[in-house]
Amino acid sequence: MDQAAALASDLRRRGVADVLTDGTTRAIHSSDASLYRVPPLLVARPRTAEDVQAAVELCARHEIPLTARGAGTSIAGNAVGPGLVLDFSRHMDRVLKLDPEARTAVVQPGVVQAALQRAAAPHGLRFGPDPSSHTRCTIGGMIGNNACGSRALGYGRTSDNVTGLQAVAGDGTLLDLPAQAGPAALRDLVAANLATIRTEFGRFGRQVSGYALEHLLPENGFDVTRLLVGSEGTLAVLTEATVRLVADPAHRVLVVLGYADIAEAGDAAPGLLAFLPTACEGLDARIVDVVRARRGPGAVPPLPGGAAWLFTEIAGDDEAEVRERAARLAAGHPDALVVTDPAKAAALWRIREDGAGLSGRSPAGRPAHAGWEDAAVPPAMLGRYLRDFEELMAGHGLTGLPYGHFGDGCLHIRIDLPLERPGGTRVLREFLVAAATLVAGYGGSLSGEHGDGRARSELLPLMYSPAAIGLFEQVKGVFDPAGTLNPGVLVRPRPFDADLRVPAARPAPGRLALAYRHDGGDFTQAVHRCTGVGKCRADNTGTGGVMCPSYLATKEEKDSTRGRARALQEMLNGGDVSGGWRSPEVHEALDLCLACKGCASDCPTGVDMAAYKAEVLHQSYRGRLRPASHYSLGRLPLWARLASRMPRVANAALRVPALRRPALALAGVDARRTLPAFAPRTFRSWFARRPPAEGAPVLLFVDTFTDHFAPEVGRAAVAVLEAAGYAPRVTARRGCCALTWISTGQLDQARRILGRTVRDLAAEAGDGVPIVGLEPSCTAVLRSDALELLDEDTAAPVARATRTLAELLAATPGWRPPPLDDVRVVAQPHCHHHAVMTWEPDLRLLRAAGAEVRRLGGCCGLAGNFGVEKGHYDVSVAVAGQQLLPALREAAPDTTVLADGFSCRTQIADLSPRRGVHLAQLLADRLTPEGN
């Protein structure tokens, strides 16, 4: 029996039930949000403190390393290890007790910070530290690296907000702090080294590197609890924490100040501290440019002039005092922006929160990496440090997008280290040594909040004396004498250029089907867009986001965008996942991917898992027998065209149980699904019998769903367009965007079909004639996927000409929407509409018409062929249950359910008594004889 099997067996005998040894689990836990790749032997997901104690004891007995993991958002490599990984996020995720009067909460390590905030909010309380990953990071992880976040000026670090811990030390000792006195050997160690501790530790607020030995000084009360905060899981494994809660201020005002460059913003930050801000964040214009480029010009509210900004938050309970303080802060800056609207402030803060992902591509367009992403200096020295640091990067031929907690002197940046190139690891070593030497010269800290992990532990001797480094070793020996816990971190460190993920990756085998234009044609670079920040593990639906519906349904890491990216990365590394494109681990991870494209817009790094899944399916099944659903659902337009010859016969046949059941089984369709009926008359046949209209020409792209299943949508669109002064026309030849072939990975056929369609559209549209798509997924193919499958000269003109109905109408001079003042709308935007085109033009149109709109986030769950296929029904319904189904139940009977996507309307009809309508139908029903 090998080590993994022996440990797994012993764990189960001790009652640890959730132990995973499969290749998929090991692959997706091989990385966190750092540069590093360390495949574990096995993963266990504890449910109780007893499970944790058993794991620590058994790992020590088997001499297998143990690494604790929360959400896996560690940027320094604190949450990967070669032995047993304890994943606390699956089960130990509860708020055990919340005491509003004492203003404390008792939590398990896997509680997500945002979940704790939700529990505290009804009492007017909050947990102070708020890292940018607050929607998915766990309190255990925050304790592990002493997280701070944007509002540390107001609320302090995590170590300032933890009052008690229960944990298991590396030697198996149960710790209950501060009830216990702490190890006597530790007290003796401190007494013998007072001078070193007093002179080298606790020098400024963001000195996070190393162990926080200053808390053990007699004048600080020998506080072992605060020592363990920030010890990165190297001394003990947390099982429970008591945290301090603070009153949430009643009023907040955001003041944005512009500066000529980021260093000038650094110079100015210390002077703003006199206004007692809760946050003072620096942001470089280059990050804002990335947001505009990826999400459109409207994604960034107007900002003061400059190439860098300070986002400074003033908060308090007295509104007049808060506004007066904000006004005084802004008074010396003629172009200051004072934001009192919480929604507008939230939009600006989201840019800052997504900084780690948005900066995943450097100004030079190359992949940018963590590794030196959170150094800190005393705030008074920040401006000078920034200038020296920019010069250091330039000297090494490197660039990055800087931002950070400037009021605290902490800089965040991802740097385009050439790790994918020969000699890249040498550049990494030379640069990090130089950067560590620079920050140490300023009296700074290698880490200001992320911890040292694998990225910086080897560099600690550049910051601390040999005596201090020796103390770290001795402290480790007190708690974890065998070195079981998180080895290679802080004490006896692994080289920071060992175990790197990117250099281990190989080029994808074979000829690729998609172009990967934004990744230099490199599939490996594309899947390594995922830096592991884990936004896909958060519920983003409250702000209209979609990513990642399958993770929200299952709560399994393998069903997150990140988990899938990790499986693909491991496939390219060729380690545990060794079967190439057909690896079972890869197909297991991709199975529940809805191909919703939510990640393409919502992931800060721009991962497009729908494209990667299509590539994998293409490579896996090219020239081989495919799953049944690929032939049925994947080639639906062919079957629809055949059925259109005798639609009534086809519909009748599918209603006969003796025919329906075997037909669905043969097609790979779940028997619980109700299949939509074929229209008795196609849209094209109706349109061909109409006299041509007069007006400005517009080419209507007639997709399969509108033509064969919902021609009423096409008829409504024609009415709306003609009322707006257009003369709609269609191509002479039937066209198809090949979406169903794309989603099932039949990309050679898709290229042929789509290529013919795009050429027809280009020939008939002509210069300046807009193309209007009605089905969002098909419109998105013309706008996006076509550029990946076809040559740019062919696809780009059509992509530029293609509009949604709302986009075209909004740009039509003199057009006004019909009044919708009495209309209440529950809107389910199609995922591809959200991801590729954005739904904002539709929202603006509806509101301009006077409608009351409730926009839903998330996916409907059907997602084209996904929710129809065998094996996906339950997840499809669970996804619908996240936003769509509750909204339908809550909606009044006269509420309009708006769903432009045919799959969305199908899901609504299948799972509820409601019926969805297209925007064209909503507008057409309100047209007056005058046309609006």
Side-chain angles (χ1 to χ4, degrees), residues 103 124 247-252 314-322 325:
R103 293 187 174 181
D248 205 11
H251 304 284
R252 299 182 189 274
I314 303 296
D317 293 326
D318 184 329
E319 183 177 9
E321 186 277 332
V322 168
R325 194 159 26 117

Side-chain angles (χ1 to χ4, degrees), residues 161-493:
N161 292 275
V162 174
T163 63
L165 296 175
Q166 293 186 13
V168 183
D171 63 0
T173 301
L174 300 181
L175 303 175
D176 185 1
L177 302 169
Q180 295 173 346
L186 186 63
R187 194 180 295 272
D188 294 341
L189 189 60
V190 171
N193 292 275
L194 292 174
T196 299
I197 297 173
R198 284 179 174 138
T199 56
E200 296 195 43
F201 294 87
R203 292 176 288 105
F204 72 107
R206 288 297 185 115
Q207 184 181 346
V208 168
S209 282
Y211 291 135
L213 300 182
E214 70 273 15
H215 297 305
L216 300 180
L217 289 169
E219 58 267 33
N220 293 330
F222 191 69
D223 193 338
V224 181
T225 301
R226 297 185 73 183
L227 165 73
L228 291 183
V229 178
S231 60
E232 305 184 33
T234 63
L235 303 180
V237 181
L238 180 69
T239 60
E240 188 176 294
T242 302
V243 299
R244 181 181 293 111
L245 304 176
V246 296
D248 205 11
H251 304 284
R252 299 182 189 274
V253 175
L254 176 62
V255 181
V256 183
L257 307 175
Y259 299 91
D261 58 40
I262 197 73
E264 189 176 306
D267 290 333
L272 304 183
L273 301 183
F275 297 95
L276 304 179
T278 49
C280 181
E281 298 291 289
L283 196 68
D284 190 271
R286 291 167 285 185
I287 287 184
V288 175
D289 291 342
V290 172
V291 178
R292 290 192 179 110
R294 286 201 38 211
R295 300 176 183 170
V300 178
L303 291 169
W309 296 274
L310 289 177
F311 286 23
T312 307
E313 183 182 82
I314 303 296
D317 293 326
D318 184 329
E319 183 177 9
E321 186 277 332
V322 168
R323 288 178 178 255
E324 186 273 335
R325 194 159 26 117
R328 283 193 291 112
L329 189 155
H333 301 264
D335 197 22
L337 174 65
V338 179
V339 184
T340 57
D341 180 349
K344 291 180 179 177
L348 289 165
W349 280 118
R350 270 196 294 275
I351 299 170
R352 165 61 189 87
E353 288 180 356
D354 282 346
L358 293 170
S359 59
R361 282 293 185 276
S362 74
R366 299 196 298 263
H369 304 286
W372 188 259
E373 79 294 327
D374 80 321
V377 298
M381 299 179 181
L382 181 60
R384 283 179 287 163
Y385 168 70
L386 285 169
R387 291 181 181 89
D388 285 348
F389 185 70
E390 289 269 11
E391 185 178 335
L392 179 68
M393 284 200 300
H396 284 79
L398 304 172
T399 62
L401 303 177
Y403 62 101
H405 312 298
F406 279 23
D408 291 299
C410 183
L411 172 69
H412 291 324
I413 189 167
R414 286 177 180 258
I415 301 169
D416 53 6
L417 296 154
L419 297 179
E420 72 282 3
R421 303 177 190 170
T425 54
R426 176 182 53 78
V427 175
L428 171 73
R429 176 159 289 277
E430 291 174 355
F431 176 75
L432 259 61
V433 169
T437 302
L438 175 65
V439 82
Y442 274 96
S445 179
L446 311 182
S447 171
E449 65 177 339
H450 296 157
D452 298 306
R454 293 169 179 270
R456 289 174 286 274
S457 293
E458 186 191 357
L459 298 167
L460 287 172
L462 295 175
M463 176 180 165
Y464 288 111
S465 70
I469 298 297
L471 269 175
F472 294 162
E473 179 91 28
Q474 294 174 77
V475 169
K476 170 83 166 173
V478 170
F479 289 93
D480 182 29
T484 301
L485 302 183
N486 217 4
V489 173
L490 291 177
V491 173
R492 298 184 291 279

Side-chain angles (χ1 to χ4, degrees), residues 606-733:
V607 167
D608 186 353
M609 194 54 64
Y612 309 161
K613 180 176 182 177
E615 185 76 65
V616 169
L617 293 175
H618 169 77
Q619 300 288 351
S620 297
Y621 292 111
R622 184 170 51 182
R624 295 185 176 93
L625 187 67
R626 287 176 167 270
S629 63
H630 289 200
Y631 298 105
S632 57
L633 302 172
R635 300 179 183 181
L636 179 64
L638 295 179
W639 310 127
R641 193 171 299 179
L642 287 173
S644 69
R645 298 173 182 175
M646 294 184 293
R648 290 181 174 84
V649 173
N651 291 333
L654 289 175
R655 285 195 295 268
V656 177
L659 296 176
R660 181 180 181 275
R661 291 193 190 96
L664 295 184
L666 184 65
V669 173
D670 193 289
R672 290 168 287 186
R673 280 295 176 191
T674 301
L675 296 181
F678 295 102
R681 184 184 185 189
T682 67
F683 170 77
R684 275 184 165 273
S685 66
W686 171 85
F687 189 85
R689 290 169 172 77
R690 297 184 78 254
E694 294 184 0
V698 59
L699 187 62
L700 198 61
F701 174 54
V702 184
D703 61 89
T704 295
F705 304 101
T706 301
D707 197 22
H708 294 282
F709 296 97
E712 64 276 10
V713 170
R715 295 194 294 267
V718 168
V720 172
L721 290 169
E722 289 182 349
Y726 289 100
R729 64 190 193 214
V730 302
T731 55
R733 184 166 59 173

Side-chain angles (χ1 to χ4, degrees), residues 509-806:
R511 180 177 59 84
L512 297 172
L514 299 177
Y516 305 101
R517 296 182 187 277
H518 300 294
D519 297 288
D522 187 345
F523 181 80
T524 299
Q525 188 175 127
V527 300
H528 278 87
R529 276 181 174 267
C530 178
T531 58
V533 295
K535 190 176 179 182
C536 49
R537 287 175 56 104
D539 185 348
N540 303 294
T541 58
T543 55
V546 170
M547 178 183 73
C548 175
S550 56
Y551 176 78
L552 294 179
T554 69
K555 298 298 183 183
E556 293 285 352
E557 174 75 10
K558 73 177 176 64
D559 298 324
S560 69
T561 306
R562 182 179 70 179
R564 295 178 179 117
R566 294 298 185 239
L568 289 167
Q569 290 166 6
E570 285 299 295
M571 176 194 84
L572 295 167
N573 293 333
D576 286 342
V577 180
S578 57
W581 296 108
R582 305 190 73 196
S583 300
E585 297 88 349
V586 169
H587 285 262
E588 180 184 2
L590 289 172
D591 179 50
L592 295 184
C593 172
L594 283 78
C596 67
K597 281 190 177 289
C599 48
S601 61
D602 297 352
C603 171
T605 63
V607 167
D608 186 353
M609 194 54 64
Y612 309 161
K613 180 176 182 177
E615 185 76 65
V616 169
L617 293 175
H618 169 77
Q619 300 288 351
S620 297
Y621 292 111
R622 184 170 51 182
R624 295 185 176 93
L625 187 67
R626 287 176 167 270
S629 63
H630 289 200
Y631 298 105
S632 57
L633 302 172
R635 300 179 183 181
L636 179 64
L638 295 179
W639 310 127
R641 193 171 299 179
L642 287 173
S644 69
R645 298 173 182 175
M646 294 184 293
R648 290 181 174 84
V649 173
N651 291 333
L654 289 175
R655 285 195 295 268
V656 177
L659 296 176
R660 181 180 181 275
R661 291 193 190 96
L664 295 184
L666 184 65
V669 173
D670 193 289
R672 290 168 287 186
R673 280 295 176 191
T674 301
L675 296 181
F678 295 102
R681 184 184 185 189
T682 67
F683 170 77
R684 275 184 165 273
S685 66
W686 171 85
F687 189 85
R689 290 169 172 77
R690 297 184 78 254
E694 294 184 0
V698 59
L699 187 62
L700 198 61
F701 174 54
V702 184
D703 61 89
T704 295
F705 304 101
T706 301
D707 197 22
H708 294 282
F709 296 97
E712 64 276 10
V713 170
R715 295 194 294 267
V718 168
V720 172
L721 290 169
E722 289 182 349
Y726 289 100
R729 64 190 193 214
V730 302
T731 55
R733 184 166 59 173
R734 292 179 187 273
C736 179
C737 71
L739 171 67
T740 58
W741 281 270
I742 294 170
S743 62
T744 52
Q746 302 179 72
L747 298 184
D748 290 333
Q749 300 97 313
R751 183 177 293 104
R752 290 194 297 272
I753 295 165
L754 178 58
R756 183 172 60 244
T757 298
V758 167
R759 287 189 292 273
D760 287 351
L761 290 171
E764 299 204 32
D767 291 339
V769 176
I771 301 168
V772 173
L774 299 177
E775 171 57 39
S777 55
C778 300
T779 308
V781 170
L782 299 181
R783 287 269 283 263
S784 176
D785 301 78
L787 294 164
E788 288 292 311
L789 276 166
L790 308 176
D791 66 271
E792 191 167 1
D793 290 343
T794 300
V798 169
R800 287 193 295 267
T802 300
R803 306 282 186 275
T804 66
L805 181 62

